[in-house]
Amino acid sequence: MSAAPIPNQTPAQSPKRPTAEVERVYREMLRIRRFEEMAARSYTQGKISGFLHLYIGQEAIAVATKDIMQPGDRVVTTYRDHGFAIALGCDPGACMAELYGKKTGLVGGAGGSMHFFAKKEGLWGGYAIVGGHVPVAAGHAFASKYVGDGAVTLCFLGEGAMHIGATHEGMLLAGLWRLPIVFVIENNKYAMGTPLHRQSPVEDLTVRAPTYRMTSDRFVVRDVFETRDRLARAVKRAREEQQPSLVELLTYRFRGHSMSDPAKYRTKEEVESWREGDPLHRTGKALREDHGLSEEQLEAIDDEIVEEMQKAVEFADESPLPDPEFRFRNHYVEDDPSEED
């Protein structure tokens, strides 16, 4: 079993970064991590139905994305969408209530884990159909180019989606029409339980970029700042030059594909080696070693965030279920009550 390069060979973080900035991104990544852990606990308690795909290990990507977005920019992503919702500013209580299927959820409890949506915050949907959202994202970018609003669409997909026909069609049109879009492959090593070497004849998925007339980048997600800087370059090209990009981020999920997946296809050694390179772990290490924060200070940050996420759970527990007729809203066609059977 081959694994991608392990991101634990470089310094934990540059000490030149202001301490307040390093602490901020650490907090934001930790908020996602603790939210997901609370969600996993609720799932095992039977409070969440259906599927639950956790973002644990990939938090730096969502936090970096938030930092480079401008008003009007859009994120279109997969069913592993909780991290983006938290990073983009959605209320954790509303996010947890959506997982519970409650009336106070992001979309009234109708979407669940895989269909978060928050237009105001720039999250234009999590999508359950693998690769099916790529043409949708291209459509968002086409709309931006058509009306000239200067917005950029960031489309996130897993490496498994790179082998889907709809993905090819969406990327083809983006390159053909020079759309303001950045396609970001979150290559977390496994499409469900299938490693990349059993999915693709090539390891580097950005080799396809020239066929779509896209620029490309590919790197291991070491820390949020490097991720932010390199994504920012792609977003700048899309915004200023109408030049789409294909960016492959080598990352890692520390849980199974979903809560029903025990992830026995991975070795403990592989998981532990990636834990050493976990951006959240590395940022905490940098705060201790390079910025002088004590263990007590880091524990206080953690306690504060755990309390925030516990309140989100309590909010979801106490929230009401949606009214039965709510499930009939937002249909394309509604029955005319004046018509007789």
Side-chain angles (χ1 to χ4, degrees), residues 63-75:
V63 173
T65 298
K66 165 61 177 177
D67 279 1
I68 61 176
M69 289 176 64
Q70 295 183 10
D73 289 349
R74 298 167 176 174
V75 166

Side-chain angles (χ1 to χ4, degrees), residues 132-166:
H133 66 299
V134 177
V136 174
H140 282 295
F142 178 82
S144 288
K145 184 168 185 176
Y146 187 80
V147 302
D149 62 11
V152 172
T153 298
L154 292 109
C155 177
F156 293 85
L157 60 151
E159 76 278 5
M162 286 297 290
H163 319 308
I164 302 296

Side-chain angles (χ1 to χ4, degrees), residues 67-246:
D67 279 1
I68 61 176
M69 289 176 64
Q70 295 183 10
D73 289 349
R74 298 167 176 174
V75 166
V76 179
T77 189
T78 69
Y79 42 75
R80 205 177 301 278
D81 53 7
H82 315 157
F84 284 103
I86 298 296
L88 293 178
C90 295
D91 178 69
C95 293
M96 191 65 71
E98 188 60 42
L99 296 181
Y100 279 46
K102 295 297 187 70
K103 186 175 183 178
T104 54
L106 280 183
V107 289
S113 171
M114 296 194 285
H115 300 99
F116 276 22
F117 190 95
K119 177 180 176 181
K120 181 180 177 181
E121 286 77 15
L123 178 60
W124 286 74
Y127 288 80
I129 303 302
V130 175
H133 66 299
V134 177
V136 174
H140 282 295
F142 178 82
S144 288
K145 184 168 185 176
Y146 187 80
V147 302
D149 62 11
V152 172
T153 298
L154 292 109
C155 177
F156 293 85
L157 60 151
E159 76 278 5
M162 286 297 290
H163 319 308
I164 302 296
T167 298
H168 165 70
E169 293 173 3
M171 292 186 178
L172 176 70
L173 292 177
L176 179 65
W177 294 335
R178 294 186 65 87
L179 300 181
I181 189 168
V182 178
F183 296 102
V184 184
I185 307 167
E186 294 183 286
N187 184 348
N188 58 23
K189 311 282 88 61
Y190 296 94
M192 298 185 74
T194 305
L196 183 62
H197 69 85
R198 293 182 59 191
Q199 308 169 39
S200 172
V202 295
E203 181 179 343
D204 183 352
L205 299 176
T206 64
V207 297
R208 306 181 193 182
T211 67
Y212 302 125
R213 200 170 61 185
M214 294 186 193
T215 56
S216 64
D217 194 9
R218 182 177 189 265
F219 59 95
V220 177
V221 177
R222 297 179 176 87
D223 65 70
V224 66
F225 296 113
E226 178 187 21
T227 304
R228 182 180 70 185
D229 293 345
R230 294 177 76 160
L231 282 178
R233 291 198 286 268
V235 168
K236 186 175 187 291
R237 285 193 298 267
R239 194 184 312 279
E240 298 180 0
E241 304 172 25
Q242 305 286 291
Q243 173 59 53
S245 294
L246 179 62

